Each structure stands twice: as structure tokens, then as C-alpha cells.
Amino acid sequence: MLKTCCENVRKNVPLVHNITNYVTVNDVANVLLACGGSPIMSDEPEDVVDITAICSALNINIGTLHKTSIEAMLKAGKKSNELGHPVLLDPVGAGASALRTNTAVELMKELKLTVIRGNISEIKTLALGSGTTKGVDADVADKVTDETLDDSIRFVKNFAKESGSIVAVTGAIDLVSDGEKCYVIRNGRPEMGQITGTGCQLSGMMTAFVAANPDNQLEAAAAAVCMMGLAGEIGWSRMVEGDGNSTYRNRIIDAIYNMTGEILEKGAKYEVR
Amino acid sequence: MLKTCCENVRKNVPLVHNITNYVTVNDVANVLLACGGSPIMSDEPEDVVDITAICSALNINIGTLHKTSIEAMLKAGKKSNELGHPVLLDPVGAGASALRTNTAVELMKELKLTVIRGNISEIKTLALGSGTTKGVDADVADKVTDETLDDSIRFVKNFAKESGSIVAVTGAIDLVSDGEKCYVIRNGRPEMGQITGTGCQLSGMMTAFVAANPDNQLEAAAAAVCMMGLAGEIGWSRMVEGDGNSTYRNRIIDAIYNMTGEILEKGAKYEVR
Amino acid sequence: MLKTCCENVRKNVPLVHNITNYVTVNDVANVLLACGGSPIMSDEPEDVVDITAICSALNINIGTLHKTSIEAMLKAGKKSNELGHPVLLDPVGAGASALRTNTAVELMKELKLTVIRGNISEIKTLALGSGTTKGVDADVADKVTDETLDDSIRFVKNFAKESGSIVAVTGAIDLVSDGEKCYVIRNGRPEMGQITGTGCQLSGMMTAFVAANPDNQLEAAAAAVCMMGLAGEIGWSRMVEGDGNSTYRNRIIDAIYNMTGEILEKGAKYEVR
């Protein structure tokens, strides 16, 4: 199934509209090209409705918000919803400022989100801020580890169910759930956190995967997570003495570029819970 | 002649003012440095007139438009025209949204553009939108191939003549014309399309070439196209197993950095029609 | 001492708020991660106060000013001052436009700046614009060389004393002074100037160094300068035939990633005057 998800991206070449931060935008574009998609960026409110209309999906990332880009996110998101396009939200820094938290919560309320992808603390912020978490859930630990796994899975499933979105929480162990099933994924390397924007890159790629696999969006989201992590492992295996995070960034994108459905199927480490 | 065009950039070190998109801006800056020019970026309307005044040329790229950057493009463009500086327009995404099409057409009307560089569909959009195309021209094919070459050359020559700008259409075969002569260029590799922003990079470099060769702007524009394509060939020859589009990006810029007039002269593949 | 400064960054992992230009922002983020810090970017006036409050330091870079980002710089700077966080100003392009010069001077007047880092012509512009330079100082040469060294040291010391900030002037020879002592640093390579943003990267890294070494800010600023230059030397030693400025960029960031306090101590070339 992961194999097919990966191959469908290369076959369908989904055009993805990205309203994303200016820190990691170039890498997001190159990762989308590497995995077989096609990127277009636009965050001007007067431009986004036209652009979203010619795309297959929308990737919203709140990493560097501006007043005008928030307006653009809402306009593009509503148009995408109207057209039945998948919409992904990456709530970068939700919990770190009122503007980020409030914007993410507003986007959740105003838009039908196909996927929400973030780290555990961002996702917890959304769960609390949008009133979709009750009782024990709010106490979920700040890291997904083997010790906290059961609680974390329960939290992610509940949040997915209540929000009506696929929820992807990435960290040392990644969780991807639609409220019923939960993929528990163990690909990746800790050194990926020393590169800026691997999360943003994953969100861009995941949007392409979900767009190219409309009938298997949960599997597609999980496939993107496995592929990013596996690319991190393959990229790391090509590092030599003296290389550091800048070369590692290139190696990871290169590994995505060379990924096939078979390599992915073979290298993916996951269980379904 | 290409040799001299290339050498003049390294000799004159033209300072190029770029109002460009935030996706590929870092690569544009590094390519300008690699070819021997010097980049400066500014898109705030209150800043651009001063900045353009200290530069030799202006590169306008509409890849991620904002209301304020459109104002900046017009202000900087008028100041550049007043000072007799070359101005290049890269109409990224013209045809994809009303804002992009209208902005590109407005820039054509309000400014004296030295060069317009885009892909065939962007250039067709401009030709139609600005009313400079009649009859058969509008039917030019969406790809420049050996089959469509004669028609494409006629179209590019006509558009150059009517617009009063050098027109560069890049794709599998590149065409550069001033309305009289047309360079037909066959450097480059298809894999360059899997890197974000090779077109933007070329526009930045072409601006430096035109600025450094005021008496041979057509040849200079053609030289930049040959150089970008040749760098794509040289860069590709240095790729090893496991490398992908991220490493290829670095290799292309590196090849520009190491390019000499002689390498360019020897590797350029073109005819004049 | 340099050794300790370097190690404190890796130990304390300072979170640095960057209001910086969109040209080099990705490299600034990766350099901050490479040296052991952690980056966050935000330039929306409604977001910056919250973001600065959770950080340890603020890096202000005026490379691509917007009306709103100027407002953000002032708001974030005042909040940082209130909280006692170090604030660094990188006056990119001061002297090149009225907006840049005036903004830099206004930031100097409105904020308590811990460090001002720029090239000699930017720093001279600030010294003149803020009225902190008198007599002979204004005549300091436009390059710091062995011939102009004594005058340059006197100028930098005076400007540091009068402005109340640590002043770092980078070029072929780098000077870092608090008004009393002046570090004269000779690390680095001229080819670093052919990469966009090595100055911006240094400013980001220096902010992390100053934040992680509150009791030795002058030494910390000097250590960051030595480390950037040394990384340029180490990165260059790993270049092979055919490599250019794009690969060099990666090599420098990689060298920062692999730098230890001991390597820095051993490779730093400086004297204190």
C-alpha cells in the first residue's frame, strides 16, 4: 500500500499550492519536486483563489505569519474546501504566541482540514485551544516514547475523531491516525532535528501524497511520514567525515528524489494500532 | 562573442537590484555571485528607488507577488528607465492567475523592458494580454520542439519586434530574439526542471549579462542562456549514484562559479536564425 | 576562553529570535542549529512580543526591510530590552538607501543594543548618522588592512564607547571591541565573500554566543567571529576540483556543525589590542 501511495505521486504529479513560511520555502519546493509533485507558492489574498483553483491541494504552514497571509490562508482554504481539494495545516509554533495559537484554532474552525501535522506540543495546543480535548488527554506527555505510547495513541485517535481530520504527530516515534487506526512509525534519525524545516518539508510532501491518493488518505499520510524518515536514514548513510547538517539537508532531499515505491515498502518501519 | 560577454560580467561586477520571489531568492543571489555579478534585494516601495539608483540593472520576478511589491516593481522600474538601466521581467506564472497576468501586462505597458524571459506559455500569455499578437501567432504550440521550431521562431521574433524587448523563451530548446535575429540554443538537461528556480536563477544571471554588455545585449542574453544550460550539463557530469535534485542544484551553481569565457565558447550549442 | 564560549552555546542551546531578511534566512537558521543554538523567525508586529519573550536573545537584520518589519523590530527590541535579553543589530546596506540608514539609526536610538555587527562602510554610516563620530574618526579608511589598522581600531573603540555597544567590524581583518579592548582577528578566506549571507550567518551565530555567555559578551562575540572564519578555512580545505560557492556554503555550515571548543581554540588567529 505504501508502495502504491508513493508511485501515485510520481504518476499524478499533483500541483500543490503552498502558503508557507519564508524560512524553509525553498526546501519545501525542492522536496515536492523530489517526490514527484509540483509546487506553487502564493500568499497574496488577491492571488490565492486563482492559484488554488488550478492546484490539486493546499498546504498551509503558519511558520512566519503576516496579517495578509492569514487572510490568504482563509481565502485559499475556503476555495479549496469548495473544490473538494485536500487541505493540510502545519501549525508551526502553535502555543508559542497568541497569534499563532489563535490563527491555528481559527483555521481549524473555518476550514475542513484533511490533515493536521505537527509536533506533540503543537497538536496539544490545538486540542486544548479548540476545545476538542477532555480529561486525561490534556495530560498527554510532551514526548512520544515507548513509555508514553499508549496514552499518546489514545490522545491522537481522540483528537482525530473530534476534529474530523487525519492527525500526524511527528517526533522520535511518529503517530498518524484518522480516529480509528493509528500508524506508529519508527523511521528517521534524531539528527534530522538539526536541520531547519524537515517538518515543513514533510508537510509539503504529505500534501502531495494525500492529493495523489484520494481514496487512501490515511495510508498516504503515513507513507509520507515513512518516506521522510527513511530518506533521513538513507541520507545519513551517505554522510562522510566532516559533513554536517547542511550536507545532510541535501542528502535527505536527494534520497527522496531517488526513492521508489519498493525502497519505501522495504524500509518502512511501522505497525498499525 | 559569448566569451567576451561572460568575461565582461567578471570584469565589470554589475550590481543587480532584484525584486524577486522568496522561494528562490537565495539561489538567485548565489548565482549572481557565481557568475561574477553582485546581488542586492529590496522590495519595499520606500527603499527601491534609492537601491535601484546605486545598481546597474533591475531584475523583476513576479513569482510571489504582494500588493506592496507590485508598487515597488513599478517605482523601481520607472527609476531604472529614467537612469537608462536595463530592466528584465520574468513573468513567473503569468496565465495562472489574473493578478499575475495583469501585473505582467501592466509592467510591460508602464516600463521599457530590456528583456522579457519566461517559458512559452508565460510569453504567450503576455503576447495575448498586451495585444501584441495577431493571427497565427496566438496558435504557437505550447512546447518549442524541432517540429514547432519555425512557428516558434516566428512568434518570438514578432513578439520581440512588437514589444520592443529582447524576448527569451526557455524550454527544451531556447529562443532568444530581438525581432531581427533569433538564437536557437540547445544546451541544458531535462533534469534541471526538477530543481526549483533554475528559471529565476537564469533571469538573475541574464540581468547581469545584459548590464555588463550594453552594446551587445542580444548576444549577452543568449550567452546567459547558453551558460545556464552548459552549467546544467557540467553539473550533471559530476553527479554520482545517490545524488538527486538538491545536490544537482549545488553542482549547477558551482559550474557557473567555475565557468570561463573559453569553456562557455566551447560548450555553447546554438545557431542564429 | 573561546573554548568555553563555544561550549556554552552547545550546553545552553539558546533560542534566538531572528527578524531577518528573506534572502539568507534559511542559512541563518541552519547555522544557528549547527553551532548549537535554536532559531525562531517572526516579523509580524502582532507576533514578535510573544516570540521574543520565550527566547534568550534577538537578532535584528535590516537586509530586506518592510514597513511592518521595522515596526516589529522596534516592538521586539523594546520587549527584549525590558527582559534584559541581548539584542544584536546587523545594519545590512546602511548607507545604500535612506530607509536603511534611517532605520538603523532609529534602532540605535530607541534600543539598547548589545552588539552592532557590520562591514566597515555600514558601521561608518551608523557612526556618522548617529552623531557618535567626530574628527579623525570619520576619515577611517573603507577597508581594514594592516596599513589602516591603527586608525580602524581607534575608530571601532570610539564608536563602541560612544554607542555603548560591542562593535564588530568584519572584513579581511575583523575587529571586535567594547570600547576598552579590541580583538583583531585574522581567520577566514576571501572566497567567503562569494557566498551570499556569510555576514548574516555570523550575526545569527554571534547572537547565540552572546546569549549563552552573559558574563563574557565581548569574548563571546569575538569567539563567534573566529569560529565563522575558521569554518571558512576548514570548509575550504574540503573543496575539490569543480566545487564552487554553492558547495562552499554547505562546507562552511558543516564545519560549524563539527566545531568543538578545542578546534576553535587551536585554530583561532587573534590578538587583543
Side-chain angles (χ1 to χ4, degrees), chain C residues 58-83:
Chain C
L58 173 64
N59 171 31
I60 299 176
N61 175 306
I62 67 167
T64 51
L65 285 175
H66 294 129
K67 289 314 237 355
T68 53
S69 64
I70 297 172
E71 189 191 336
M73 288 167 185
L74 287 163
K75 278 180 115 168
K78 283 175 183 171
K79 183 68 182 178
S80 283
N81 280 172
E82 202 182 302
L83 297 168

mmCIF file of all heavy atoms in Angstrom, chain C residues 58-83:
data_model
loop_
_atom_site.group_PDB
_atom_site.id
_atom_site.type_symbol
_atom_site.label_atom_id
_atom_site.label_comp_id
_atom_site.label_asym_id
_atom_site.label_seq_id
_atom_site.Cartn_x
_atom_site.Cartn_y
_atom_site.Cartn_z
ATOM 1 N N LEU C 58 17.758 38.408 20.688
ATOM 2 C CA LEU C 58 17.122 38.913 19.469
ATOM 3 C C LEU C 58 18.181 39.344 18.464
ATOM 4 O O LEU C 58 19.089 40.097 18.801
ATOM 5 C CB LEU C 58 16.222 40.108 19.822
ATOM 6 C CG LEU C 58 15.583 40.883 18.671
ATOM 7 C CD1 LEU C 58 14.606 39.994 17.903
ATOM 8 C CD2 LEU C 58 14.872 42.131 19.196
ATOM 9 N N ASN C 59 18.035 38.864 17.227
ATOM 10 C CA ASN C 59 18.924 39.209 16.126
ATOM 11 C C ASN C 59 18.135 40.034 15.114
ATOM 12 O O ASN C 59 17.209 39.516 14.495
ATOM 13 C CB ASN C 59 19.431 37.900 15.479
ATOM 14 C CG ASN C 59 20.199 38.119 14.194
ATOM 15 O OD1 ASN C 59 20.857 39.149 14.016
ATOM 16 N ND2 ASN C 59 20.117 37.156 13.286
ATOM 17 N N ILE C 60 18.490 41.303 14.950
ATOM 18 C CA ILE C 60 17.792 42.190 14.011
ATOM 19 C C ILE C 60 18.688 42.436 12.802
ATOM 20 O O ILE C 60 19.804 42.924 12.941
ATOM 21 C CB ILE C 60 17.439 43.544 14.666
ATOM 22 C CG1 ILE C 60 16.507 43.335 15.873
ATOM 23 C CG2 ILE C 60 16.806 44.481 13.653
ATOM 24 C CD1 ILE C 60 16.200 44.633 16.630
ATOM 25 N N ASN C 61 18.179 42.138 11.613
ATOM 26 C CA ASN C 61 18.948 42.272 10.372
ATOM 27 C C ASN C 61 18.069 43.030 9.384
ATOM 28 O O ASN C 61 16.932 42.624 9.119
ATOM 29 C CB ASN C 61 19.274 40.850 9.861
ATOM 30 C CG ASN C 61 19.969 40.814 8.517
ATOM 31 O OD1 ASN C 61 19.478 41.389 7.549
ATOM 32 N ND2 ASN C 61 21.084 40.118 8.443
ATOM 33 N N ILE C 62 18.590 44.134 8.842
ATOM 34 C CA ILE C 62 17.742 45.012 8.021
ATOM 35 C C ILE C 62 17.932 44.777 6.516
ATOM 36 O O ILE C 62 17.661 45.659 5.698
ATOM 37 C CB ILE C 62 17.969 46.502 8.370
ATOM 38 C CG1 ILE C 62 19.382 46.972 7.977
ATOM 39 C CG2 ILE C 62 17.733 46.762 9.861
ATOM 40 C CD1 ILE C 62 19.535 48.492 8.007
ATOM 41 N N GLY C 63 18.330 43.585 6.153
ATOM 42 C CA GLY C 63 18.657 43.282 4.759
ATOM 43 C C GLY C 63 17.518 43.435 3.756
ATOM 44 O O GLY C 63 17.752 43.791 2.599
ATOM 45 N N THR C 64 16.301 43.111 4.151
ATOM 46 C CA THR C 64 15.127 43.387 3.296
ATOM 47 C C THR C 64 14.019 43.960 4.164
ATOM 48 O O THR C 64 13.134 43.248 4.613
ATOM 49 C CB THR C 64 14.596 42.115 2.572
ATOM 50 O OG1 THR C 64 14.404 41.061 3.522
ATOM 51 C CG2 THR C 64 15.533 41.650 1.485
ATOM 52 N N LEU C 65 14.094 45.257 4.370
ATOM 53 C CA LEU C 65 13.123 45.936 5.235
ATOM 54 C C LEU C 65 11.738 46.023 4.609
ATOM 55 O O LEU C 65 11.613 46.196 3.391
ATOM 56 C CB LEU C 65 13.599 47.367 5.496
ATOM 57 C CG LEU C 65 14.749 47.547 6.479
ATOM 58 C CD1 LEU C 65 15.145 49.009 6.514
ATOM 59 C CD2 LEU C 65 14.368 47.055 7.870
ATOM 60 N N HIS C 66 10.730 45.919 5.448
ATOM 61 C CA HIS C 66 9.359 46.256 5.076
ATOM 62 C C HIS C 66 8.828 47.205 6.143
ATOM 63 O O HIS C 66 9.310 47.191 7.276
ATOM 64 C CB HIS C 66 8.489 45.002 5.020
ATOM 65 C CG HIS C 66 8.883 44.054 3.935
ATOM 66 N ND1 HIS C 66 9.101 42.723 4.155
ATOM 67 C CD2 HIS C 66 9.119 44.270 2.613
ATOM 68 C CE1 HIS C 66 9.461 42.148 3.009
ATOM 69 N NE2 HIS C 66 9.487 43.070 2.061
ATOM 70 N N LYS C 67 7.830 47.986 5.806
ATOM 71 C CA LYS C 67 7.249 48.884 6.799
ATOM 72 C C LYS C 67 6.856 48.110 8.055
ATOM 73 O O LYS C 67 7.129 48.552 9.173
ATOM 74 C CB LYS C 67 5.999 49.595 6.231
ATOM 75 C CG LYS C 67 6.269 50.645 5.166
ATOM 76 C CD LYS C 67 7.386 51.568 5.538
ATOM 77 C CE LYS C 67 7.040 53.040 5.574
ATOM 78 N NZ LYS C 67 5.742 53.492 5.170
ATOM 79 N N THR C 68 6.219 46.975 7.867
ATOM 80 C CA THR C 68 5.756 46.238 9.050
ATOM 81 C C THR C 68 6.918 45.608 9.820
ATOM 82 O O THR C 68 6.862 45.511 11.040
ATOM 83 C CB THR C 68 4.760 45.125 8.667
ATOM 84 O OG1 THR C 68 5.359 44.312 7.659
ATOM 85 C CG2 THR C 68 3.463 45.707 8.136
ATOM 86 N N SER C 69 7.970 45.193 9.115
ATOM 87 C CA SER C 69 9.058 44.557 9.860
ATOM 88 C C SER C 69 9.837 45.589 10.680
ATOM 89 O O SER C 69 10.378 45.261 11.741
ATOM 90 C CB SER C 69 9.991 43.769 8.933
ATOM 91 O OG SER C 69 10.650 44.596 8.017
ATOM 92 N N ILE C 70 9.860 46.839 10.219
ATOM 93 C CA ILE C 70 10.511 47.893 11.023
ATOM 94 C C ILE C 70 9.760 48.055 12.344
ATOM 95 O O ILE C 70 10.360 48.124 13.424
ATOM 96 C CB ILE C 70 10.552 49.230 10.243
ATOM 97 C CG1 ILE C 70 11.393 49.073 8.973
ATOM 98 C CG2 ILE C 70 11.092 50.360 11.129
ATOM 99 C CD1 ILE C 70 11.348 50.278 8.027
ATOM 100 N N GLU C 71 8.439 48.075 12.243
ATOM 101 C CA GLU C 71 7.606 48.166 13.452
ATOM 102 C C GLU C 71 7.885 46.962 14.361
ATOM 103 O O GLU C 71 7.997 47.108 15.586
ATOM 104 C CB GLU C 71 6.132 48.193 13.017
ATOM 105 C CG GLU C 71 5.160 48.508 14.133
ATOM 106 C CD GLU C 71 3.710 48.251 13.693
ATOM 107 O OE1 GLU C 71 3.421 48.272 12.465
ATOM 108 O OE2 GLU C 71 2.871 47.995 14.593
ATOM 109 N N ALA C 72 8.022 45.802 13.734
ATOM 110 C CA ALA C 72 8.291 44.578 14.508
ATOM 111 C C ALA C 72 9.644 44.653 15.207
ATOM 112 O O ALA C 72 9.799 44.218 16.359
ATOM 113 C CB ALA C 72 8.228 43.355 13.591
ATOM 114 N N MET C 73 10.641 45.211 14.517
ATOM 115 C CA MET C 73 11.983 45.329 15.111
ATOM 116 C C MET C 73 11.942 46.198 16.370
ATOM 117 O O MET C 73 12.548 45.862 17.388
ATOM 118 C CB MET C 73 12.943 45.946 14.089
ATOM 119 C CG MET C 73 13.300 44.998 12.947
ATOM 120 S SD MET C 73 14.133 45.861 11.573
ATOM 121 C CE MET C 73 14.243 44.496 10.388
ATOM 122 N N LEU C 74 11.215 47.302 16.276
ATOM 123 C CA LEU C 74 11.140 48.208 17.423
ATOM 124 C C LEU C 74 10.388 47.558 18.585
ATOM 125 O O LEU C 74 10.828 47.627 19.737
ATOM 126 C CB LEU C 74 10.476 49.526 17.010
ATOM 127 C CG LEU C 74 11.372 50.419 16.131
ATOM 128 C CD1 LEU C 74 10.554 51.484 15.400
ATOM 129 C CD2 LEU C 74 12.455 51.091 17.000
ATOM 130 N N LYS C 75 9.279 46.909 18.278
ATOM 131 C CA LYS C 75 8.493 46.269 19.340
ATOM 132 C C LYS C 75 9.276 45.131 19.996
ATOM 133 O O LYS C 75 9.338 45.023 21.227
ATOM 134 C CB LYS C 75 7.196 45.684 18.753
ATOM 135 C CG LYS C 75 6.091 46.705 18.573
ATOM 136 C CD LYS C 75 4.832 46.055 17.998
ATOM 137 C CE LYS C 75 3.677 46.101 18.972
ATOM 138 N NZ LYS C 75 2.395 45.729 18.322
ATOM 139 N N ALA C 76 9.865 44.284 19.184
ATOM 140 C CA ALA C 76 10.610 43.147 19.726
ATOM 141 C C ALA C 76 11.834 43.647 20.489
ATOM 142 O O ALA C 76 12.173 43.119 21.559
ATOM 143 C CB ALA C 76 11.031 42.208 18.608
ATOM 144 N N GLY C 77 12.487 44.658 19.950
ATOM 145 C CA GLY C 77 13.680 45.198 20.600
ATOM 146 C C GLY C 77 13.360 45.774 21.970
ATOM 147 O O GLY C 77 14.087 45.540 22.949
ATOM 148 N N LYS C 78 12.258 46.506 22.058
ATOM 149 C CA LYS C 78 11.889 47.099 23.353
ATOM 150 C C LYS C 78 11.539 46.012 24.365
ATOM 151 O O LYS C 78 11.921 46.095 25.531
ATOM 152 C CB LYS C 78 10.746 48.097 23.170
ATOM 153 C CG LYS C 78 11.263 49.414 22.576
ATOM 154 C CD LYS C 78 10.183 50.420 22.254
ATOM 155 C CE LYS C 78 10.844 51.661 21.602
ATOM 156 N NZ LYS C 78 9.853 52.606 21.074
ATOM 157 N N LYS C 79 10.827 45.017 23.913
ATOM 158 C CA LYS C 79 10.485 43.913 24.816
ATOM 159 C C LYS C 79 11.756 43.188 25.268
ATOM 160 O O LYS C 79 11.901 42.846 26.454
ATOM 161 C CB LYS C 79 9.544 42.928 24.100
ATOM 162 C CG LYS C 79 9.052 41.783 24.953
ATOM 163 C CD LYS C 79 8.107 42.283 26.043
ATOM 164 C CE LYS C 79 7.620 41.162 26.959
ATOM 165 N NZ LYS C 79 6.742 41.689 28.022
ATOM 166 N N SER C 80 12.674 42.960 24.350
ATOM 167 C CA SER C 80 13.934 42.297 24.697
ATOM 168 C C SER C 80 14.724 43.117 25.703
ATOM 169 O O SER C 80 15.266 42.571 26.672
ATOM 170 C CB SER C 80 14.792 42.086 23.439
ATOM 171 O OG SER C 80 14.310 41.013 22.692
ATOM 172 N N ASN C 81 14.774 44.413 25.484
ATOM 173 C CA ASN C 81 15.458 45.303 26.433
ATOM 174 C C ASN C 81 14.828 45.200 27.820
ATOM 175 O O ASN C 81 15.518 45.097 28.837
ATOM 176 C CB ASN C 81 15.377 46.759 25.954
ATOM 177 C CG ASN C 81 16.396 47.106 24.870
ATOM 178 O OD1 ASN C 81 16.357 48.187 24.294
ATOM 179 N ND2 ASN C 81 17.312 46.206 24.572
ATOM 180 N N GLU C 82 13.522 45.223 27.847
ATOM 181 C CA GLU C 82 12.761 45.135 29.099
ATOM 182 C C GLU C 82 13.104 43.842 29.846
ATOM 183 O O GLU C 82 13.216 43.830 31.068
ATOM 184 C CB GLU C 82 11.287 45.112 28.680
ATOM 185 C CG GLU C 82 10.269 45.526 29.701
ATOM 186 C CD GLU C 82 8.873 45.356 29.059
ATOM 187 O OE1 GLU C 82 8.622 45.982 27.990
ATOM 188 O OE2 GLU C 82 8.086 44.557 29.595
ATOM 189 N N LEU C 83 13.272 42.770 29.076
ATOM 190 C CA LEU C 83 13.553 41.464 29.677
ATOM 191 C C LEU C 83 15.044 41.240 29.918
ATOM 192 O O LEU C 83 15.450 40.200 30.437
ATOM 193 C CB LEU C 83 13.023 40.346 28.768
ATOM 194 C CG LEU C 83 11.503 40.319 28.555
ATOM 195 C CD1 LEU C 83 11.146 39.359 27.426
ATOM 196 C CD2 LEU C 83 10.794 39.905 29.846
#
